[in-house]
Amino acid sequence: MANENLMQRDDVRELVKLKYGEAALRVLNGQTASCCGSGAAAGDACCGETKASGDCCTNADDPITSDHYSETEAAEIPEAALLASLGCGNPTALAQLNAGEVVLDLGSGGGIDVLLSARRVGPTGFAYGLDMTDNMLELAEKNKLEAGAENVRFIKGHIEAIPLPDNSVDVIISNCVINLSADKDQVIREAFRVLKPGGRFAVSDVVVDGELPAEIRKEMELYVGCVAGALGRADYLAKLANAGFTDSSIEPTRRYKFSDLEGFSSIAEFRGLTWDVKENLDGKVMGAFIRASKPV
């Protein structure tokens, strides 16, 4: 059973790496990352996906990834960092970040949240970005250089094995990445380990109210669409408590209806589901902000 679980984790990890690597390549080639979360080859027109109107889908259209950053925030970072954003929220806007603190972004992608965090903690603070995808790390380094950020470091690694010492980080952020992991308990344990006593866990993620139908859970491809891997609200809170976190809370930031989601590649596999199943999903899947603290 252990070997089977390990194989499943490796399969999910390789799939996520492939899809997000393709997304990074699209941005490096001057396109947007949001469309074709599954199926189309990098560089295809519209990423191989169109909306019902026949127009290309973009980050600005996607109901999961769009409208999380203000015009002021967008002006503070390279355009490529914004184009590469595949998150479901804006943890930097909701997290309390103070001058001089050390921040770690789990699954930092093109670096948007790292660069914004670095500005907020100032020159006496520091922001780390952790990602396993070479193309995303290449894009993040390019964005770091363009932004002129000196208090930033991007690290290659897995969020289940954070390559930082114990008690070294003040705040952990993440943007729609923990749901992609096949071992969320280990991710949360690692987050607890690297946080300093009194440190904060402040992430945006996809959360489910109730249970997702089996038709969704069995589609591993949907891990890349940020839905199939989503934890239920109670399960998320229980995992945080089991790892040692206190003061945990989940605040919905955006609830998704099927009519809003259908037609976008990030949930392309939903199209084969029956009407009854789709209706049952309305409002159950949500973008949320999850807070917790490591006891002093």
Side-chain angles (χ1 to χ4, degrees):
M1 181 63 71
N3 288 337
E4 181 181 344
N5 290 338
L6 179 61
M7 290 175 62
Q8 291 173 349
R9 289 198 296 270
D10 288 344
D11 288 346
V12 171
R13 179 178 289 169
E14 289 306 311
L15 179 59
V16 171
K17 186 184 295 186
L18 171 66
K19 296 303 182 181
Y20 281 77
E22 289 175 351
L25 277 177
R26 287 194 290 277
V27 176
L28 287 167
N29 291 330
Q31 299 172 310
T32 59
S34 182
C35 9
C36 94
S38 59
D44 287 351
C46 289
C47 301
E49 281 293 332
T50 58
K51 299 181 292 183
S53 64
D55 298 328
C56 295
C57 51
T58 68
N59 290 55
D61 300 312
D62 194 305
I64 293 179
T65 63
S66 63
D67 298 328
H68 294 301
Y69 299 92
S70 68
E71 291 183 5
T72 301
E73 289 171 320
E76 292 177 349
I77 56 175
E79 182 182 13
L82 187 61
L83 290 175
S85 175
L86 290 167
C88 57
N90 180 353
T92 64
L94 296 169
Q96 178 186 344
L97 301 179
N98 303 312
E101 289 188 319
V102 178
V103 181
L104 167 63
D105 183 10
L106 300 180
S108 49
I112 183 171
D113 294 316
V114 175
L115 296 175
L116 289 172
S117 296
R119 292 179 68 90
R120 291 184 60 185
V121 299
T124 60
F126 202 85
Y128 290 99
L130 175 64
D131 206 281
M132 67 176 178
T133 308
D134 289 331
N135 292 335
M136 278 296 185
L137 289 167
E138 178 186 351
L139 178 60
E141 291 289 352
K142 178 175 179 290
N143 290 330
K144 171 187 171 181
L145 184 63
E146 185 177 338
E150 297 183 356
N151 59 336
V152 165
R153 180 186 171 197
F154 291 103
I155 309 170
K156 183 174 181 179
H158 299 129
I159 62 175
E160 298 87 359
I162 300 172
L164 289 175
D166 297 357
N167 308 317
S168 59
V169 175
D170 294 293
V171 185
I172 283 182
I173 64 171
S174 186
N175 199 346
C176 200
V177 172
I178 294 175
N179 71 87
L180 300 175
S181 174
D183 193 350
K184 298 172 183 63
D185 288 296
Q186 178 62 18
V187 175
I188 294 171
R189 284 193 295 266
E190 276 290 276
F192 188 88
R193 177 185 66 80
V194 301
L195 278 172
K196 299 174 184 177
R200 288 105 63 202
F201 181 87
V203 309
S204 293
D205 212 351
V206 175
V207 179
V208 178
D209 262 342
E211 290 296 321
L212 279 178
E215 293 94 325
I216 298 294
R217 291 292 184 193
K218 72 181 180 181
E219 292 290 344
M220 185 174 67
E221 185 80 357
L222 286 175
Y223 271 92
V224 182
C226 299
V227 175
L231 290 172
R233 181 196 290 262
D235 198 14
Y236 216 129
L237 293 173
K239 290 180 185 300
L240 288 167
N242 290 340
F245 283 103
T246 58
D247 303 321
S248 302
S249 65
I250 295 178
E251 174 189 347
T253 54
R254 185 178 297 184
R255 288 188 180 271
Y256 307 117
K257 292 186 177 180
F258 226 94
S259 57
D260 298 330
L261 296 174
E262 199 152 24
F264 290 89
S265 58
S266 59
I267 55 145
E269 290 77 9
F270 280 174
R271 296 171 187 169
L273 301 181
T274 65
W275 182 86
D276 288 344
V277 171
K278 291 179 180 181
E279 185 181 55
N280 189 49
L281 282 176
D282 265 355
K284 283 191 173 182
V285 179
M286 62 186 183
F289 190 59
I290 298 97
R291 293 179 175 90
S293 301
K294 181 173 179 175
V296 175

